[in-house]
Amino acid sequence: MKTLKFIITLCCAASIVACKSEKKEDTKEAIVESEKVVETPKTYAELSIAEGGEWVNGERGHEEYQGTTHFKNIDQLRVPDKHTDHTWYLRYEGPGWESNKIGYRLYLDWRNGIDIFGKVTDTMVLSKVGQDGFDSYHEPQSWGLDILKVGNGLGIGSLGRLVDDKVLHFKEVDSTFASIENNANQSSVTINYNGWKTANDKIDLKSTLSIRPDKRYTKHTIQPSKAIQGIVTGIVDHGVNYFTKESANKKWAYIATYGEQTLVPDDLGMAIFYEVETTADVKKGEDDYLVEFKPTTKAVMFYFLGAWEQEPNGIKTEAEFKTYLDELLNELNANNKL
């Protein structure tokens, strides 16, 4: 009997030890899972509107949103018909997207240009931009600043239509819808332009801009509802060095600029990688270096990027920038994508 009791006691003790061991393993697994959940993101996209104010007649001859008390982040927006440039309704004037390398924003109005936020940190910064004064990002901040002057140009990688040697922007659009999405692999902004009128044509156009962790480049996919001539993207011309190159298999190419072309001022490289088969022409426009696409209703994809000398471990010289571009071109040559 004593022997039996002893055996039972040993079994119970072993069971308790096993349970404790299992609990420890479960705890370890829970900690690992928890660490995965709180992993620091390396991309981010946002869209932020003003609240607490009202639309009033402004000094510029159009309505403005005045009396803002705070900004609210949203996932999607039908842009108000009254919205145009400098209405103070959208924080930093449109949607923004960033990686741990660089940030971009799109003017969600008739200008439709894409601007660059140069970053001196590898953390996500867009949620702070324009919170302490609407256009405070034009001055140096702890995270960096707006570094590109877009002016009348396309900025970097945005869209227009070339008609009679003049780039037309988005002055006549029936409606514009914007949305953002963030996930572990990338962040993206999607714009749907409905009823974009240029010359004698009226089309719908979908534009999707996405960025991935540790990358400077944005993948830009566009799809027009009608095959029309003259849809272009480009790089604003600031009078610095301009150069081009084609991949070994002749399927991909890039246009690029490098030099002192920021508002700081200091050195910045910009580039657009495009698929040769989708391209009708590469030319100099009035304000930009342009890539013109062939008429199509199929989706067309290209990449654009900026590389600022002040980013952490950034590209400091034109020679380094060309080496970087050639590495990406070789990747496109091998894989047909980045």
Side-chain angles (χ1 to χ4, degrees):
M1 181 66 71
K2 288 182 179 179
T3 303
L4 180 59
K5 286 183 178 179
F6 179 69
I7 292 171
I8 292 171
T9 301
L10 284 178
C11 288
C12 290
S15 177
I16 290 169
V17 169
C19 287
K20 286 184 177 179
S21 177
E22 287 177 5
K23 284 181 180 179
K24 284 182 180 179
E25 290 301 317
D26 290 343
T27 302
K28 286 180 181 178
E29 289 178 7
I31 290 171
V32 170
E33 288 299 318
S34 176
E35 287 176 349
K36 287 180 182 178
V37 171
V38 298
E39 185 177 346
T40 303
K42 290 187 176 181
T43 68
Y44 177 61
E46 71 172 6
L47 180 60
S48 189
I49 61 171
E51 286 194 322
E54 60 181 347
W55 290 94
V56 299
N57 291 326
E59 296 179 358
R60 295 172 176 264
H62 56 68
E63 288 191 63
E64 299 174 359
Y65 195 85
Q66 296 184 0
T68 300
T69 59
H70 64 280
F71 288 98
K72 175 185 176 182
N73 277 24
I74 55 177
D75 292 333
Q76 56 188 355
L77 172 72
R78 183 198 187 283
V79 181
D81 293 335
K82 64 185 74 177
H83 175 69
T84 183
D85 62 292
H86 300 91
T87 60
W88 326 119
Y89 178 65
L90 296 172
R91 183 157 60 85
Y92 55 78
E93 301 191 274
W97 62 102
E98 66 178 321
S99 71
N100 49 320
K101 296 285 188 181
I102 196 168
Y104 301 95
R105 64 171 172 142
L106 182 141
Y107 302 138
L108 199 56
D109 53 56
W110 68 269
R111 295 168 297 173
N112 201 61
I114 293 177
D115 204 343
I116 297 175
F117 286 130
K119 295 170 58 171
V120 295
T121 176
D122 59 4
T123 60
M124 301 297 98
V125 305
L126 286 181
S127 62
K128 306 173 186 176
V129 176
Q131 296 278 18
D132 55 346
F134 188 85
D135 55 0
S136 58
Y137 47 80
H138 289 126
E139 300 297 329
Q141 307 290 321
S142 60
W143 54 265
L145 73 163
D146 176 341
I147 59 174
L148 184 63
K149 181 175 176 58
V150 174
N152 295 321
L154 294 170
I156 172 69
S158 63
L159 300 174
R161 187 185 182 196
L162 190 65
V163 177
D164 297 330
D165 295 325
K166 184 175 179 61
V167 175
L168 305 181
H169 295 257
F170 284 68
K171 286 192 174 181
E172 295 186 61
V173 182
D174 290 342
S175 60
T176 302
F177 292 82
S179 62
I180 61 101
E181 183 177 354
N182 291 293
N183 57 48
N185 299 318
Q186 69 175 21
S187 295
S188 61
V189 174
T190 299
I191 315 290
N192 284 286
Y193 305 94
N194 298 323
W196 178 32
K197 187 178 185 304
T198 52
N200 296 319
D201 294 293
K202 194 172 188 179
I203 69 168
D204 300 332
L205 189 144
K206 182 179 181 179
S207 164
T208 303
L209 305 123
S210 58
I211 196 165
R212 293 191 289 135
D214 303 313
K215 308 301 181 184
R216 295 181 181 91
Y217 57 78
T218 290
K219 177 183 176 182
H220 195 171
T221 304
I222 64 173
Q223 186 161 15
S225 62
K226 179 181 176 182
I228 62 172
Q229 292 183 332
I231 293 180
V232 294
T233 188
I235 302 172
V236 61
D237 175 20
H238 284 311
V240 297
N241 291 345
Y242 168 76
F243 40 95
T244 66
K245 191 169 184 178
E246 199 171 63
S247 64
N249 63 11
K250 309 296 182 184
K251 289 186 176 182
W252 288 87
Y254 69 71
I255 64 170
T257 64
Y258 190 88
E260 190 175 289
Q261 55 178 337
T262 74
L263 294 168
V264 177
D266 59 2
D267 288 338
L268 170 70
M270 294 187 284
I272 293 175
F273 292 83
Y274 60 92
E275 197 170 5
V276 174
E277 187 180 67
T278 66
T279 307
D281 202 0
V282 176
K283 63 180 71 176
K284 178 66 179 70
E286 184 177 356
D287 300 295
D288 313 271
Y289 296 102
L290 299 171
V291 176
E292 181 181 351
F293 299 106
K294 294 176 181 177
T296 185
T297 57
K298 295 181 180 179
V300 175
M301 182 262 291
F302 61 96
Y303 301 88
F304 66 83
L305 63 87
W308 185 38
E309 67 164 290
Q310 288 195 48
E311 70 183 58
N313 302 311
I315 292 169
K316 307 292 186 184
T317 68
E318 183 175 312
E320 290 178 6
F321 185 56
K322 286 183 175 179
T323 298
Y324 168 64
L325 296 184
D326 288 347
E327 289 171 353
L328 293 176
L329 193 62
N330 289 338
E331 186 177 344
L332 285 166
N333 188 78
N335 303 324
N336 208 39
K337 64 178 182 179
L338 294 177

